Amino acid sequence: MSAIADNLNRVRQRIAEAARGCGRDPADIRLLAVSKTKPVAMLREAWEAGQRAFGENYLQDALPKIAALEDRDIEWHYIGRIQSNKTREIAAHFAWVHGLDRLKHARRLSEQRPATLPPLNCCIQVNLSGEASKGGIEATRLPELARQVAALPGLRLRGLMTLPDPASPLDDQRAAFETLAGLRASLAREGLSLDTLSMGMSRDLEIAIAAGATLVRVGTDIFGARD
Ligand SMILES: *Cc1c(COP(=O)(O)O)cnc(C)c1O
């Protein structure tokens, strides 16, 4: 077995154990393989091992990989920062976007989504305390943005995403994950049901699953450390 197939099996095992440990069905948690900076050959290996969803952060890096793997049934997720001048290509080449945090980008993605493709699946990124990146909307502004995004015809609002500072203590990350789950629950009470909580990475996927993650984004533990 290749090293990547081995790593994937280990990560799948961790997901299954974490799910069972908190009484959840492992089938309710999707694994997104974060392949940013990694060469096409590695993605191919992961595909051979059964992985179908891949996450990329850098558009210019991602487009050649998407072209090279055109003949495979891959679901591409854009998980990087969204910039206005990149929305057309994101809308044309990806099935999911995880870092949506402003209406302007949402409108552009909706308008630019090719009519031949199903609506672009979106997660709104929420900026919770202790985050390293500046991305994400403040929690207090989430309900309004969620309603606006849900109304756009080219998008399908699927859920919420958060990206805690990976260097912060695990207890802080746990708190952020629990807050995100609470935000989803309060949107549901207002009549907006979302099926996705995109949270948890290599280091903290277990605590994210305990807090309710339905999709974990794992790079390092599948493909190895990045430069
Ligand atoms: C790089 C990245 C990941 C994967 O992080 P690892 O620690 O390598 O598992 C997950 N989510 C986002 C948004 C990322 O940028």
Side-chain angles (χ1 to χ4, degrees):
M1 206 188 305
S2 80
I4 286 174
D6 229 24
N7 291 346
L8 264 172
N9 278 344
R10 254 194 301 272
V11 169
R12 288 173 184 144
Q13 196 63 37
R14 282 172 63 194
I15 291 170
E17 275 166 25
R20 282 191 221 101
C22 58
R24 297 185 59 197
D25 182 349
D28 291 341
I29 298 140
R30 297 191 66 198
L31 171 59
L32 179 65
V34 176
S35 46
K36 62 181 172 211
T37 79
K38 298 299 180 182
V40 169
M42 283 191 165
L43 281 74
R44 239 182 234 122
E45 265 185 59
W47 187 89
E48 303 292 347
Q51 182 63 31
R52 292 294 178 269
F54 290 83
E56 289 281 336
N57 294 56
Y58 311 108
L59 190 65
Q60 296 322 314
D61 198 30
L63 293 179
K65 295 188 205 176
I66 294 173
L69 296 167
E70 210 172 26
D71 57 334
R72 320 259 166 152
D73 54 334
I74 291 179
E75 183 180 79
W76 293 101
H77 293 234
Y78 185 78
I79 63 172
R81 296 295 302 277
I82 300 167
Q83 292 167 293
S84 292
N85 62 351
K86 304 275 169 63
T87 53
R88 186 174 297 281
E89 296 206 273
I90 294 170
H93 296 286
F94 288 84
W96 281 74
V97 163
H98 289 245
L100 196 59
D101 62 1
R102 66 194 65 186
L103 183 60
K104 179 181 156 194
H105 292 160
R107 285 199 174 121
R108 289 176 67 94
L109 290 166
S110 177
E111 280 163 18
Q112 294 167 343
R113 181 68 169 171
T116 50
L117 297 176
L120 179 63
N121 297 294
C122 292
C123 289
I124 294 178
Q125 184 177 350
V126 185
N127 192 331
L128 301 166
S129 60
E131 284 189 41
S133 81
K134 293 190 293 286
I137 189 172
E138 279 170 42
T140 52
R141 294 173 52 222
L142 171 66
E144 187 187 10
L145 181 64
R147 275 191 295 273
Q148 290 166 325
V149 170
L152 292 170
L155 305 185
R156 182 164 167 224
L157 181 59
R158 296 292 296 270
L160 306 178
M161 184 273 235
T162 197
L163 181 60
D165 179 349
S168 68
L170 284 179
D171 277 343
D172 291 0
Q173 304 195 28
R174 189 190 327 272
F177 295 150
E178 287 170 354
T179 301
L180 199 72
L183 290 169
R184 178 170 74 149
S186 69
L187 288 176
R189 283 192 296 275
E190 293 168 26
L192 192 61
S193 309
L194 305 175
D195 63 17
T196 301
L197 277 179
S198 167
M199 56 189 199
M201 313 199 288
S202 292
R203 181 169 164 261
D204 55 13
L205 68 88
E206 282 86 0
I207 60 175
I209 288 168
T214 67
L215 183 152
V216 293
R217 310 177 308 265
V218 178
T220 306
D221 284 359
I222 297 172
F223 297 110
R226 293 174 296 270
D227 297 335

